[in-house]
Amino acid sequence: MPETLVFYLLSGVAIVASALVIGQRNPMYSVLLVIVSFAALAGLYIQLDAPFVAVVQIIIYAGAIMVLFLFVVMLLNAPQEDAADWDRTHPLRRPAISRLGSMLALLLVIQL
């Protein structure tokens, strides 16, 4: 039973952190949330009795590639992303389409 709770906790952290990565306007927070997501995935690998894959996940992805991304973001000095004019007037950004998408997402959650 505790293994199941740990699985759901780690998978929930991985899903929420991954969803927040694309929802952040500040790239620094996105990079840090990707590291959190990688750490949660490493925890899932440990739970699958694959400690080598978990260590490789932390050392290579969170330790090397994410540090590289972090330095690139810091060197670019891009604190937030500015939306272009065409992005604000995109047809899928209208309230009716957003409501339809939210209703479909809710229907999917209910079905699952």
Side-chain angles (χ1 to χ4, degrees):
M1 187 68 174
E3 294 89 14
T4 307
L5 292 175
V6 171
F7 170 76
Y8 284 125
L9 178 72
L10 288 173
S11 60
V13 168
I15 291 170
V16 169
S18 299
L20 287 175
V21 165
I22 60 172
Q24 293 295 321
R25 297 194 60 79
N26 191 339
M28 293 293 287
Y29 294 143
S30 293
V31 170
L32 294 174
L33 283 168
V34 168
I35 294 173
V36 170
S37 177
F38 284 160
L41 289 176
L44 289 172
Y45 288 143
I46 288 174
Q47 202 174 24
L48 288 171
D49 290 329
F52 177 74
V53 179
V55 170
V56 167
Q57 174 87 15
I58 293 295
I59 290 174
I60 292 178
Y61 286 112
I65 294 175
M66 283 298 108
V67 170
L68 177 69
F69 286 170
L70 190 62
F71 279 123
V72 166
V73 167
M74 289 171 65
L75 286 174
L76 288 177
N77 197 15
Q80 66 182 10
E81 178 182 316
D82 293 330
D85 290 333
W86 61 268
D87 192 30
R88 289 189 200 109
T89 60
H90 196 274
L92 294 179
R93 297 271 184 202
R94 297 203 172 111
I97 301 296
S98 297
R99 287 187 196 116
L100 177 66
S102 299
M103 288 175 37
L104 288 175
L106 181 65
L107 180 66
L108 175 67
V109 169
I110 289 171
Q111 291 297 319
L112 290 176

